[in-house]
């Protein structure tokens, strides 16, 4: 069972608890991006099992009538085992997705090419029913955005969660913010919709809304469960908002990561538990 302190960031261990959480978000006009926790499998067995779990989750979503999609980590469905395993499992998931959208998360820089190649192929085959994440801290991302502009899918721009070498990544926070703004400006100018702003940063969200007013391009805002939830509900009154909702029994390392990236998260979770 997930202790109350972690349950601010993780929706539970089963798909049913994740769907319950999605339902309660929908009541507040927020949509859910469901992510089964798991990554870096070295063997094909667990990668295939998680792919199968996503197929079942997609069936549950179709049946449940909730506004939800899924987001899959490449190394969770076999990228560390081999690119062909990742491709086969992603194909299986997307083939089973029906009308439900499928996102691919982005992991460290060694996975970028394989992730984008698979995304591009599936996006063309499935007429845009898939999306991919790109990271503003990587110097290559501007070129990747140019490549992705004409692909029929969605792109989530994030700042980047991995500690990358300085030859290929911006390390300075301000430089990453600048690259994020540049990325947003390019997307709003060149993309035909399909823009996802994956950030909690009020300055980036405000900039995105300004670009939306200037160019009229459609976009959505994505934030994590447990982070700035009041802002999510408020933004949802005016914009399309999606909350990234992790669930599953591998919640401990995810909770640890949230706390390590921002120590206030621990205080915040503790306060939320104490205040009921
Ligand atoms: P930061 O630069 O961390 O913070 C900027 C400002 O935002 C802060 O000053 C504060 O005002 C506000 N803020 C940030 N966090 C909090 C908080 N906990 N509480 C209150 N205010 C806060 N990374 C990947 O590498 N690959 C992925 O696939 C990926 N997917 C993601 C999906 C979603 C939906 C989101 C939201 C993030 C994802 N990330 C991913 C993580 C991302 O790369 C960043 O590490 C993370 O979002 C932190 O950057 P930020 O833009 O939110 O804000």
């Amino acid at each position: 069972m997930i202790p109350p302190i972690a349950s601010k960031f993780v929706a539970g261990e089963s798909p049913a608890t994740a769907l319950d959480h999605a339902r309660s978000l929908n009541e507040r006009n927020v949509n859910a991006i469901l992510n089964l926790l798991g990554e870096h499998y070295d063997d094909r067995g667990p990668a295939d099992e998680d792919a199968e779990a996503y197929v079942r989750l997609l069936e549950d979503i179709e049946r449940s009538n909730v506004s939800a999609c899924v987001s899959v980590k490449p190394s969770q469905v076999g990228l560390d085992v081999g690119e062909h395993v990742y491709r086969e499992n992603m194909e299986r998931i997307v083939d089973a997705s029906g009308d439900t959208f499928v996102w691919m998360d982005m992991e460290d820089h060694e996975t970028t090419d394989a992730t984008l190649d698979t995304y591009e192929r599936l996006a063309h085959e499935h007429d845009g029913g898939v999306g991919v994440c790109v990271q503003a801290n990587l110097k290559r991302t501007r070129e990747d955005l140019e490549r992705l502009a004409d692909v029929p899918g969605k792109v989530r721009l994030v700042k980047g969660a991995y500690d990358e070498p300085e030859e290929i990544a911006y390390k300075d926070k301000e430089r990453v913010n600048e690259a994020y703004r540049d990325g947003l400006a390019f997307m709003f100018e060149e993309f035909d919709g399909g823009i996802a702003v994956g950030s909690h940063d009020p300055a980036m969200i405000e900039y995105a809304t300004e670009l939306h007013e200037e160019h009229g391009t459609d976009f959505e805002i994505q934030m994590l469960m447990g982070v700035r939830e009041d802002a999510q509900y408020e933004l949802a009154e005016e914009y399309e908002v999606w909350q990234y909702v992790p669930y599953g029994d591998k919640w401990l390392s995810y909770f640890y990561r949230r706390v390590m990236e921002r120590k206030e998260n621990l205080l915040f979770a503790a306060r939320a538990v104490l205040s009921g």
Side-chain angles (χ1 to χ4, degrees), residues 73-190:
K73 278 207 172 2
S75 73
Q76 170 176 29
V77 292
L79 189 53
D80 291 356
V81 187
E83 208 171 317
H84 67 288
V85 180
Y86 167 54
R87 247 196 334 264
E88 282 166 28
N89 274 330
M90 278 314 302
E91 261 163 22
R92 197 166 143 212
I93 292 167
V94 175
D95 280 347
S97 63
D99 293 330
T100 305
F101 198 83
V102 177
W103 282 99
M104 286 169 229
D105 286 347
M106 185 61 81
E107 297 176 282
D108 70 81
H109 74 276
E110 290 184 351
T111 68
T112 313
D113 283 327
T115 307
L116 292 183
D117 289 348
T118 297
Y119 162 70
E120 203 170 336
R121 206 156 55 77
L122 289 176
H124 283 294
E125 282 170 16
H126 291 266
D127 209 17
V130 292
V132 75
C133 177
V134 295
Q135 300 147 324
N137 66 332
L138 292 189
K139 293 176 184 170
R140 60 174 285 170
T141 291
R142 176 55 195 259
E143 254 175 55
D144 289 335
L145 286 175
E146 284 170 22
R147 162 185 174 187
L148 296 172
D150 296 324
V151 178
K154 290 190 190 179
V155 177
R156 171 201 302 154
L157 183 65
V158 299
K159 290 188 186 176
Y162 295 83
D163 187 17
E164 303 286 13
E166 65 183 2
E167 303 84 71
I168 57 150
Y170 304 117
K171 307 297 283 181
D172 175 58
K173 230 174 155 23
E174 277 316 306
R175 186 65 191 87
V176 176
N177 286 342
E178 193 186 321
Y180 195 94
R181 284 170 178 275
D182 284 351
L184 281 183
F186 178 80
M187 291 167 87
F188 276 91
E189 275 164 34
E190 302 296 333

Side-chain angles (χ1 to χ4, degrees), residues 33 73 104-107 133 135 156 158-162 173 177 180 198-202 204 222-224 227-228 242 244 258 261-262 265:
I33 306 169
K73 278 207 172 2
M104 286 169 229
D105 286 347
M106 185 61 81
E107 297 176 282
C133 177
Q135 300 147 324
R156 171 201 302 154
V158 299
K159 290 188 186 176
Y162 295 83
K173 230 174 155 23
N177 286 342
Y180 195 94
S199 177
H200 311 104
D201 191 336
M204 299 306 148
Q222 300 187 353
M223 296 197 208
L224 303 181
V227 180
R228 299 197 67 219
W242 290 77
Y244 187 101
R258 292 283 76 78
E261 79 186 5
R262 197 176 164 91
N265 276 342

